[in-house]
Amino acid sequence: MTTLATAATAATVEFRSLRRAFGTTVALDGLDLTVRPGELLALLGPSGCGKTTALRMLAGFEHPDSGEVLVDGEDITRVPAHRRDAGMVFQSYSLFPHLSALDNVAFGLRMRKVGTAERRTRAGELLDLVGLGDKGGRFPHQLSGGQQQRVALARALALRPRVLLLDEPLSALDAKVRLSLREEIRRLQLELGITTVFVTHDQEEALSMADRVAVMRAGRLEQCAEPAELYGRPATAFVAEFVGTMNRIPGTLDGDTVSVLGQRLPVDGEAPGPGAVDVLVRPEAVRVSADEEGDGRVGATAFLGAATRVTVRLADGAEIKADLPTHEAGALVSGARVSVSLPDRPVLVAARPS
């Protein structure tokens, strides 16, 4: 581990006012974002939001129409990809089929004229680091998908880059392997202290792996925050609904308060004009209790382990999902009348779809 620990000092990465259009399609629309030294930052968003374009600009595979990319204060916007001191892992592995795992890891070192003995030693150390020390002589077709991706990760780290770039590296793997490998990537990232930018459309991956998550939409940054803050205090309705499950409950907005489910609650953040709105509430915040005079009826239930998701249909046709402790949900049989309420705290509201 001593040799590997001599990786370059963790870098600060800055995207400044990045703009990029492909014809009439705007991929990035003034992106401003800073990645702190040694952190793992996830770029999260739907397809076409600009997250991969931003990563490719950091890698040097794309260039902005305007704006800058900086690493430790140095403008690298026009620096060629091969001179950027960044390691990249793709979702497709991109291993050389005619090279062994060891030679794949050592390939970049070979291109940099590192001596045979040193590059084989360093490649062996990296294979040990990713748990493949005994697989160095195997070719890619002799390795599983998860093992191939570990080799790709080791290869990206071989040159001791200042920044590690991960472009949806787990999307081609099955669920069990994905879980194992994301834990392994996080362990390695923390162990090496390397600044890492990770692109994904999978919110569970982003929330479980990242120090901070940057949610993007239509080329713009909606919010960048630690996972708990992003989930618990989303800055916009888009973030609230994109990250985790969210109820839309009909309400009426009047000033800085909203009437919903017979309650009047303060509004958190920006709100549309007065009138009919939707109140955004997480299922775990919804309270459900048996009530013969209640306005709702229990519908479907879904066992989630310690919690059970109960769907309640209100008299006006609205459906609300509530995550209740399983031992409480067991008493709420299908068709039972219930009342639904919300905690007395600020809520997000959004314009009701027309």
Side-chain angles (χ1 to χ4, degrees):
M1 288 303 303
T2 305
T3 305
L4 297 175
T6 59
T9 303
T12 300
V13 173
E14 297 174 80
F15 299 108
R16 292 186 181 174
S17 303
L18 286 185
R19 297 182 182 275
R20 182 72 167 102
F22 299 95
T24 59
T25 302
V26 178
L28 289 177
D29 190 13
L31 176 64
D32 286 299
L33 180 63
T34 298
V35 188
R36 299 165 183 163
E39 82 168 337
L40 191 156
L41 183 133
L43 296 178
L44 176 68
S47 297
C49 71
K51 58 187 185 294
T52 297
T53 300
L55 190 77
R56 288 176 62 83
M57 285 185 180
L58 179 52
F61 301 144
E62 295 281 352
H63 297 293
D65 298 325
S66 61
E68 299 172 321
V69 179
L70 292 88
V71 175
D72 284 338
E74 176 189 354
D75 185 352
I76 64 165
T77 311
R78 301 298 169 184
V79 174
H82 68 276
R83 292 178 51 203
R84 288 208 179 188
D85 202 10
M88 189 157 183
V89 179
F90 303 89
Q91 67 182 70
S92 59
Y93 319 142
S94 300
L95 300 180
F96 298 111
H98 62 290
L99 297 181
S100 68
L102 186 75
D103 288 336
N104 262 286
V105 175
F107 182 80
L109 300 171
R110 180 182 171 189
M111 293 298 99
R112 292 198 178 181
K113 310 299 184 184
V114 175
T116 301
E118 182 181 348
R119 68 173 183 258
R120 292 185 70 83
T121 297
R122 199 186 306 178
E125 289 177 339
L126 283 159
L127 286 176
D128 284 337
L129 190 68
V130 299
L132 296 176
D134 61 340
K135 303 291 192 297
R138 295 192 182 184
F139 290 88
H141 72 274
Q142 297 173 312
L143 301 172
S144 68
Q147 290 171 336
Q148 290 183 55
Q149 196 60 292
R150 288 169 189 260
V151 174
L153 179 60
R155 183 178 62 185
L157 294 170
L159 296 176
R160 298 173 179 151
R162 286 190 293 171
V163 182
L164 178 63
L165 311 179
L166 306 174
D167 186 11
E168 302 206 47
L170 309 179
S171 61
L173 304 172
D174 64 51
K176 186 175 181 180
V177 175
R178 288 176 69 165
L179 177 60
S180 173
L181 195 50
R182 79 185 188 200
E183 292 173 351
E184 185 71 8
I185 289 173
R186 182 56 166 155
R187 179 188 69 80
L188 289 172
Q189 189 270 332
L190 288 170
E191 195 170 309
L192 298 175
I194 187 171
T195 303
T196 302
V197 181
F198 177 60
V199 163
T200 182
H201 64 273
D202 187 319
Q203 57 179 274
E204 183 180 334
E205 281 182 5
L207 296 177
S208 66
M209 292 176 66
D211 294 299
R212 289 188 301 150
V213 179
V215 180
M216 296 181 64
R217 179 190 187 192
R220 291 180 174 271
L221 181 66
E222 289 276 314
Q223 184 178 2
C224 183
E226 295 180 2
E229 180 181 350
L230 199 73
Y231 185 88
R233 291 190 58 81
T236 67
F238 175 81
V239 173
E241 294 193 278
F242 189 79
V243 178
T245 301
M246 187 67 74
N247 286 298
R248 276 182 171 258
I249 306 173
T252 303
L253 183 65
D254 182 12
D256 57 0
T257 62
V258 61
S259 296
V260 57
L261 298 176
Q263 301 171 251
R264 180 162 287 278
L265 299 174
V267 172
D268 187 17
E270 295 184 3
V277 294
D278 283 337
V279 179
L280 306 180
V281 183
R282 300 282 186 201
E284 60 267 27
V286 177
R287 298 167 177 166
V288 179
S289 56
D291 183 353
E292 289 297 330
E293 304 299 321
D295 187 38
R297 285 189 181 274
V298 175
T301 61
F303 176 71
L304 304 176
T308 292
R309 180 160 293 171
V310 177
T311 300
V312 177
R313 181 179 289 274
L314 302 182
D316 61 6
E319 284 192 348
I320 300 176
K321 292 180 173 60
D323 287 351
L324 307 176
T326 293
H327 69 275
E328 292 181 12
L332 301 175
V333 298
S334 179
R337 281 194 173 276
V338 294
S339 59
V340 180
S341 62
L342 304 177
D344 186 16
R345 62 185 187 222
V347 291
L348 277 173
V349 299
R352 188 172 298 173
S354 55

